[in-house]
Amino acid sequence: METSNTHNQRIANMIFASVYPMYVAKVEKKGRTKEELHQVIEWLTGFDDKKLQELIQEKVTFETFFERASLNPNAGLITGVICGYRVEEIENPLTQKARYLDKLVDELAKGRKMEKILRT
């Protein structure tokens, strides 16, 4: 699916630290934990808690966040619609990675089992 250059640039320039509290609030509101969120983020990116906190403190953009990530080889198994886009059809690699993360957070908040979220 084609996304606009403006849309892709907006995602690239967003500060991860500004979105992270929204991820935490979303999952906690639905009865999930920050630790589970971190497990999901680590599965997708390879960032442990310490590295995640460093990136938050550094106020990196999503572009830098995903440049430094080691994307899980099974990330391509993440499918479905998030924010009106089918993630497997997003052509811009950075936008797709950001939407992978959004989709995983959404699945966590919806109560999906961790084994399914982590594609094991």
Side-chain angles (χ1 to χ4, degrees):
M1 176 170 272
E2 188 79 30
T3 53
S4 71
N5 282 340
T6 305
H7 177 82
N8 294 331
Q9 273 307 114
R10 192 173 53 91
I11 289 174
N13 294 328
M14 272 194 309
I15 303 297
F16 178 77
S18 67
V19 177
Y20 173 77
M22 290 182 249
Y23 289 153
V24 173
K26 182 175 187 168
V27 300
E28 287 182 342
K29 185 173 87 175
K30 298 292 186 165
R32 300 306 284 260
T33 66
K34 188 180 195 177
E35 290 73 26
E36 288 173 308
L37 173 64
H38 285 200
Q39 185 180 354
V40 166
I41 293 171
E42 184 170 358
W43 177 86
L44 181 64
T45 64
F47 298 140
D48 62 14
D49 288 350
K50 183 175 183 267
K51 184 63 178 174
L52 188 59
Q53 291 309 313
E54 288 172 11
L55 293 167
I56 290 168
Q57 291 296 321
E58 199 180 325
K59 292 186 171 36
V60 298
T61 62
F62 267 84
E63 184 170 32
T64 301
F65 182 83
F66 282 108
E67 280 174 357
R68 295 183 188 173
S70 299
L71 204 66
N72 189 298
N74 289 335
L77 299 175
I78 302 168
T79 59
V81 177
I82 191 79
C83 300
Y85 295 97
R86 184 155 285 286
V87 292
E88 63 271 23
E89 295 176 2
I90 296 173
E91 293 177 8
N92 180 284
L94 175 62
T95 300
Q96 186 177 51
K97 291 172 190 171
R99 294 302 180 206
Y100 281 161
L101 180 56
D102 291 342
K103 182 69 176 163
L104 295 177
V105 171
D106 197 48
E107 289 176 357
L108 183 64
K110 286 183 176 174
R112 195 164 192 206
K113 290 184 178 178
M114 195 58 83
E115 310 85 69
K116 296 229 184 228
I117 296 170
L118 303 183
R119 289 10 188 212
T120 55

